[in-house]
């Protein structure tokens, strides 16, 4: 009996399924790390079901789902397998035990209690001044994205090559009043944040085939995404050059004037008509 036959009755772990999918595509862990921005040591822990080396159950689930999307494995199946494994193998760290029994007859002196209370009040006042006023810091408007899956799970930020140009696409001037309808279509699962001067418009994972029409009333609309290659852009139904490649995340404008400035729009091909008589 071969080794594979001997393990036929052994249930496959989520890590085994992910590793098999990765190896079948000829990918290395470094390739998965570049796609997901997850540190290699965490990817290795997921493949080996070494959940104790991961920060928490939430991180384990998040890393497993991101890995599954990167190799095209059913994310729901991986999540179900991970939950079953974590329920059995994950153990929370036990609290440290006191080395000596606590002597209830002794306690902090009145002076120590008063000093601690005074320090706590000073800390609360400092925190209130920091977050409530601009007294100790220069406030500047920030347009960074709200918390995303990558940020919540501690994924690595995209690396910027030395000497490379800025990721954000330049906004070229366009004649006033040209306008038009910009439509974004996902060709695969991709997380996006779309926002304008008034705030966030969309912050979600778009499914393959899902479309989003950028409001023509939006003021300076922009998009932030880690996989611009999975988004097709059209202007008034005509294709335009892609927003970027899979190598790095982007933040770029998506107003009609900015999209038009990227290059000449290519009309979407119409169904071919009957061949003319020869």
């Amino acid at each position: 009996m071969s080794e594979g036959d001997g393990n036929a009755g052994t249930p496959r772990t989520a890590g085994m399924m992910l590793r098999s999918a990765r190896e079948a595509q000829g990918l290395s862990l470094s390739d998965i790390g570049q796609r997901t921005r997850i540190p290699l040591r965490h990817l290795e822990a997921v493949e080996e079901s070494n959940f104790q080396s991961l920060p928490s159950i939430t991180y384990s689930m998040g890393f497993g789902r991101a890995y599954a999307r990167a190799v095209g494995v059913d994310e729901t199946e991986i999540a179900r397998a991970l939950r079953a494994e974590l329920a059995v193998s994950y153990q929370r760290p036990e609290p440290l035990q006191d080395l000596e029994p606590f002597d209830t007859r002794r306690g902090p002196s009145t002076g120590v209690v008063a000093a601690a209370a005074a320090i706590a009040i000073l800390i609360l006042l400092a925190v209130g001044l920091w977050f409530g006023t601009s007294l100790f810091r220069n406030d500047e408007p920030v347009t960074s994205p709200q918390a995303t899956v990558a940020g919540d799970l501690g994924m690595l930020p995209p690396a910027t090559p030395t000497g490379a140009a800025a990721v954000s696409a330049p906004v070229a001037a366009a004649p006033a009043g040209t306008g038009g309808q910009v439509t974004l279509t996902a060709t695969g699962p991709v997380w996006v944040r779309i926002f304008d001067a008034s705030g966030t418009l969309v912050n979600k994972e778009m499914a393959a085939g899902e479309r989003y029409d950028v409001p023509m009333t939006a003021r300076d609309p922009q998009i932030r995404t880690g996989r611009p290659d999975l988004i097709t852009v059209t202007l008034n139904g005509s294709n335009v050059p892609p927003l970027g490649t899979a190598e790095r995340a982007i933040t770029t404008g998506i107003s009609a004037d900015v999209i038009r400035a990227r290059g000449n729009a290519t009309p979407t091909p119409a169904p071919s008509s009957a061949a003319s008589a020869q």
Side-chain angles (χ1 to χ4, degrees):
M1 180 181 297
S2 65
E3 183 179 353
D5 294 336
N7 295 331
T10 304
R12 301 181 68 198
T13 65
M16 294 168 65
M17 289 187 284
L18 293 172
R19 183 189 296 113
S20 296
R22 172 177 63 79
E23 293 175 346
Q25 299 176 39
L27 299 173
S28 67
L29 273 182
S30 297
D31 296 327
I32 305 303
Q34 291 178 358
R35 291 187 180 185
T36 62
R37 312 301 178 189
I38 299 175
L40 290 182
R41 66 181 186 278
H42 291 162
L43 293 174
E44 292 174 351
V46 171
E47 282 194 352
E48 298 170 3
S49 299
N50 183 18
F51 304 116
Q52 293 302 121
S53 64
L54 298 176
S56 68
I57 291 179
T58 301
Y59 277 73
S60 302
M61 294 294 297
F63 290 152
R65 286 178 175 272
Y67 192 149
R69 289 195 296 270
V71 296
V73 175
D74 186 355
E75 183 179 342
T76 302
E77 181 182 359
I78 292 299
R80 187 182 302 112
L82 282 173
R83 289 193 189 96
E85 292 179 58
L86 289 167
V88 174
S89 61
Y90 188 83
Q91 297 181 356
R92 300 182 183 276
E94 296 182 357
L96 297 176
Q97 301 295 328
D98 293 335
L99 299 179
E100 298 180 0
F102 181 70
D103 188 352
T104 57
R105 295 174 299 176
R106 295 188 302 171
S109 63
T110 304
V112 173
V113 173
I119 292 173
I121 292 173
L122 289 175
I123 292 175
L124 290 175
L125 289 175
V127 171
L129 287 172
W130 177 266
F131 288 102
T133 72
S134 308
L135 185 58
F136 298 117
R137 57 192 173 94
N138 295 324
D139 287 331
E140 297 179 355
V142 178
T143 58
S144 60
Q146 296 176 349
T148 63
V149 171
D152 292 339
L153 298 179
M155 296 183 184
L156 295 177
T160 302
T162 303
V167 173
S168 299
V171 178
T178 52
Q181 178 61 64
V182 177
T183 300
L184 309 177
T185 304
T187 59
V190 55
W191 195 276
V192 300
R193 176 176 182 259
I194 302 172
F195 56 97
D196 68 355
S198 64
T200 298
L201 303 176
V202 173
N203 190 8
K204 59 176 287 188
E205 182 180 70
M206 295 179 66
E210 183 175 353
R211 293 179 43 175
Y212 176 75
D213 293 327
V214 179
M216 287 187 284
T217 57
R219 294 178 297 165
D220 187 23
Q222 299 188 52
I223 184 173
R224 169 72 179 175
T225 180
R227 292 296 304 274
D229 59 308
L230 295 180
I231 298 176
T232 299
V233 185
T234 60
L235 176 60
N236 295 329
S238 297
N239 292 327
V240 299
L243 298 175
T245 62
E247 281 72 20
R248 61 174 65 91
I250 64 162
T251 299
T252 185
I254 51 173
S255 66
D257 292 340
V258 172
I259 295 300
R260 183 177 288 105
R262 294 181 64 86
N264 295 327
T266 302
T268 303
S272 60
S273 59
S276 58
Q278 296 185 356

